[in-house]
């Protein structure tokens, strides 16, 4: 089974930054496209960002373009989401996910999910 472990969540003031990390096995990081989703209280889970297996292709939700950056480090078996200029609307549980390609992630159909990490943006 594919195991994904998120870390780096916490409480931050509006305008601040956080960097989330997703740890996976060497095999997982090599063969899957990876992405991040989030779910705010009482809301549906939504797509945030994704990166291809090669690390060359990326896609972002319109709400986070210019503020969030997704990347992957195959040498360390991790994927990261750098979040800058955070807004209260970014408050949610953030989930790491993997899929066969960017399309599966963009469509909300990943193969595996992590357990999530809480991000709270408030004054």
């Amino acid at each position: 089974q594919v195991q994904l472990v998120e870390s780096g969540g916490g409480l931050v003031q509006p305008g601040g930054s956080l960097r989330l990390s997703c740890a996976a096995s060497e095999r997982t990081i090599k063969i899957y496209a990876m992405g991040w989703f989030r779910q705010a209280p009482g809301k549906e889970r939504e797509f945030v960002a994704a990166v291809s297996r090669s690390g060359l292709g990326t896609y972002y939700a319109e709400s986070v373009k210019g503020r969030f950056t997704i990347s992957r480090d195959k040498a360390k078996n991790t994927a990261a989401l750098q979040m800058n200029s955070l807004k209260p609307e970014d408050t949610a549980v953030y989930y790491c996910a993997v899929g066969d390609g960017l399309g599966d992630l963009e469509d909300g159909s990943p193969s595996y999910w992590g357990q999530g990490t809480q991000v709270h943006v408030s004054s």
Side-chain angles (χ1 to χ4, degrees):
Q1 291 289 333
V2 172
Q3 293 186 330
L4 306 171
V5 182
E6 301 96 330
S7 62
L11 192 155
V12 64
Q13 295 185 71
S17 299
L18 283 174
R19 185 177 179 85
L20 305 184
S21 180
C22 177
S25 70
E26 180 179 356
R27 179 178 181 178
T28 296
I29 208 72
K30 289 181 178 179
I31 68 175
Y32 288 108
M34 304 189 72
W36 291 89
F37 292 77
R38 66 187 182 186
Q39 187 169 26
K43 304 295 183 181
E44 292 289 322
R45 188 174 297 185
E46 65 175 344
F47 170 79
V48 176
V51 60
S52 67
R53 291 185 297 275
S54 69
L56 299 178
T58 58
Y59 187 77
Y60 298 91
E62 189 67 30
S63 61
V64 306
K65 285 183 178 178
R67 299 190 298 120
F68 292 9
T69 302
I70 188 171
S71 62
R72 63 195 303 154
D73 187 341
K74 294 185 177 182
K76 297 182 178 180
N77 300 332
T78 59
L81 183 69
Q82 178 66 45
M83 306 184 294
N84 299 326
S85 302
L86 284 163
K87 306 174 181 179
E89 303 93 274
D90 295 318
T91 294
V93 175
Y94 283 71
Y95 298 89
C96 180
V98 300
D100 291 336
L102 286 176
D104 290 336
L105 296 171
E106 295 167 2
D107 292 341
S109 303
S111 298
Y112 299 95
W113 298 92
Q115 84 289 343
T117 185
Q118 179 71 54
V119 172
H120 188 78
V121 185
S122 176
S123 298

